[in-house]
């Protein structure tokens, strides 16, 4: 009987201390789509290339920044202005090396969990937070390299022809 009690207590302790990890986040609402046949989103076909996408401060469009620092602004269509939502701080969208699918992450650092803690996307597929100094690897599923044990918030992506849809 005591062995059975010890076994049950051990299993309970094991289950109680286990952290669960869901690959996709639904903490912040996301609804975004783009045409991968037109610039700048046609660069998403390049392995290891990631774009940062976030709304403009004037709320009448969005900004797209490539890792080499080039940033362009695009106006919303009437439909886009009603349906687009960019998560906490914006999106990072790209295709990791050695993957055939497009990934989407939140542009906010999950350790800081603030819209003002935007990550900086580097040419090598690494992103860093200037606030907490955490570094993440976009080519490894947004897993942390240093500074934290929290992975990036990842969102689902669906392709329909040349249209990429990022959603919860």
């Amino acid at each position: 009987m005591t062995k059975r009690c010890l076994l049950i207590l051990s299993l309970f302790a094991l289950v109680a201390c286990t952290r669960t990890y869901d690959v996709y986040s639904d903490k912040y609402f996301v609804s975004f789509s783009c045409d991968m046949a037109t610039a700048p989103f046609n660069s998403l076909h390049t392995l290891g290339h990631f774009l940062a996408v976030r709304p403009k401060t004037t709320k009448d469009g969005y900004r797209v920044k490539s890792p080499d620092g080039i940033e362009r602004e695009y106006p919303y269509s009437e439909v886009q202005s009603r349906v687009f939502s960019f998560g906490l701080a914006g999106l990072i969208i790209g295709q990791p090396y050695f993957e055939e699918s497009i990934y989407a992450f939140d542009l906010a650092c999950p350790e800081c969990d603030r819209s003002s803690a935007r990550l900086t996307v580097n040419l090598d597929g690494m992103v860093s937070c200037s606030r907490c100094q955490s570094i993440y690897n976009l080519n490894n599923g947004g897993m942390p390299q240093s500074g934290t044990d929290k992975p990036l918030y990842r969102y689902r992506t669906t392709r329909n022809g040349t249209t990429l849809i990022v959603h919860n």
Side-chain angles (χ1 to χ4, degrees), residues 16 39 64 140:
V64 179
N140 190 21

Side-chain angles (χ1 to χ4, degrees), residues 136-150:
Y136 303 87
N137 187 342
L138 297 173
N139 290 304
N140 190 21
M143 298 306 287
Q145 292 295 112
S146 66
T148 183
D149 63 345
K150 296 179 183 177

Side-chain angles (χ1 to χ4, degrees), residues 28-30 86-92 104-110 114-115 119 152-155:
Y28 300 103
F29 181 68
V30 173
F86 294 89
L88 179 58
L91 300 170
I92 302 169
F105 304 99
D106 204 293
L107 191 56
C109 174
R114 295 181 176 185
S115 61
L119 298 165
L152 294 175
Y153 298 131
R154 183 174 166 193
Y155 301 114

Side-chain angles (χ1 to χ4, degrees), residues 47-68:
L47 295 176
H49 189 82
F50 293 87
L51 299 173
V53 182
R54 63 187 180 109
K56 288 174 41 179
T57 54
T58 56
K59 307 286 187 205
D60 62 347
Y62 58 95
R63 296 177 179 178
V64 179
K65 187 174 183 179
S66 62
D68 55 5

Side-chain angles (χ1 to χ4, degrees), residues 106-166:
D106 204 293
L107 191 56
C109 174
E111 180 67 26
C112 299
D113 201 34
R114 295 181 176 185
S115 61
S116 61
R118 285 197 183 99
L119 298 165
T120 301
V121 182
N122 302 322
L123 285 169
D124 60 358
M126 304 298 276
V127 293
S128 57
C129 177
S130 61
R131 184 182 198 106
C132 70
Q133 311 308 313
S134 294
I135 299 173
Y136 303 87
N137 187 342
L138 297 173
N139 290 304
N140 190 21
M143 298 306 287
Q145 292 295 112
S146 66
T148 183
D149 63 345
K150 296 179 183 177
L152 294 175
Y153 298 131
R154 183 174 166 193
Y155 301 114
R156 289 175 174 79
T157 58
T158 305
R159 290 176 69 174
N160 184 3
T162 62
T163 302
L164 175 71
I165 302 164
V166 181

Side-chain angles (χ1 to χ4, degrees), residues 29 31-34 62 76 79-86:
F29 181 68
S31 176
F32 178 78
S33 63
C34 60
Y62 58 95
Y76 288 135
V79 172
Q80 290 172 333
S81 66
R82 286 184 270 143
V83 298
F84 278 7
S85 183
F86 294 89

